[in-house]
Amino acid sequence: RTGCAIGVPAVVTTNALVPVCAGMNDESTVAVSLVDAFTEEPLAGNAAGVVTGADALTDEQMQAIARELSVSETAFVRESDEADREIRYFTPQAEVDLCGHATVATHAYLTETGVIEAGTHTLATNVGVIEIDISEEGVVWMGGETPSVRPVEVEYGRLADALGIDEIALSEPGVELSPAVASTGEPFLIVPVTYLQALLQAEPDDAAIEELCAAVGASGIYAFTFDALDPDSTLHARAFASPVGISEDPVTGTASAAAGAYLQRMNAFGGEIPAEMLFEQGHVLDRPGTVRVRVDDGVRVGGHAVTALEGELTVPAVEDDEIVEV
């Protein structure tokens, strides 16, 4: 275990970046990275902050770092007594229990820097211990909690207003799927949309989405259509998570897992669900990415990730209320 005595700096190594610890009255420096998940190209997919060796950071410092990095989630890697490692996840506004793209980004980064190797790893999260599988080709696969799918009654007019979409795109005759809250660790309201143009032109109302999600017990809305851009994609999706401070998330792992559970439970493919599905997302934000989803043995999501930026942040001492400084 890498530790720090009060006032004694820790060593920063190439393969295991750890924070420089300081006394209560001193600032400290932490190594941070921005890693783009669900893509093999930088500046695409979903960017996650990755902070390794985060054991010495307080909740307030982790929240301040996440606010400074200002990506949808930042992962803080810590030691664990029950798993190979622990991750805590923070949006710029709050801690969340689980984040798919930050998990993929972190394990891809740890593999890239030689800290871990391909194989099976265990990860402690706020929803329990989950398994992470890393293929020899660098694909990171993660599981989650036992899937749950809960049908909800939502007025299509209210839902259409929240999404900024024509109501006919949600309730067109012949549509067999209906909204439901699904989760493998983070609950999302899954909303089927009949055609791509309607989804691409949606103009969500953050306040209305927040109110709706509170009413149904969800962290966000995952709207999807089978009318995808890429012929190899199973569906095209957009994710709106204003309840946790994210107006629109580029490519969302936990929501994709929830959607996989939803499609399986709703028998969306007439009992012939594909062995592996491809969910495309992020095009509206100019950050396209693809999530691989399997539902054969529980629900798992997978993808590649690439490091886009590495650097350091100066973090105020614990008693300081000032914002972190670059």
Side-chain angles (χ1 to χ4, degrees), residues 315-326:
V315 185
V318 173
E319 70 271 26
D320 287 347
D321 290 328
E322 299 175 1
I323 192 168
V324 289
E325 300 171 354
V326 177

Side-chain angles (χ1 to χ4, degrees), residues 127-153:
V127 300
V129 176
I130 62 175
E131 283 194 353
I132 308 296
D133 292 306
I134 306 172
S135 73
E136 294 293 341
E137 294 75 29
V139 178
V140 180
W141 289 92
M142 63 171 285
E145 287 186 321
T146 301
S148 65
V149 179
R150 172 171 50 88
V152 293
E153 293 186 6

Side-chain angles (χ1 to χ4, degrees), residues 2 4 9-12 16-21 28-31 51-57:
T2 302
C4 297
V11 176
V12 180
L17 299 174
V18 297
V20 176
C21 300
S28 60
T29 302
V30 295
V51 179
T52 59
D55 297 85
L57 296 174

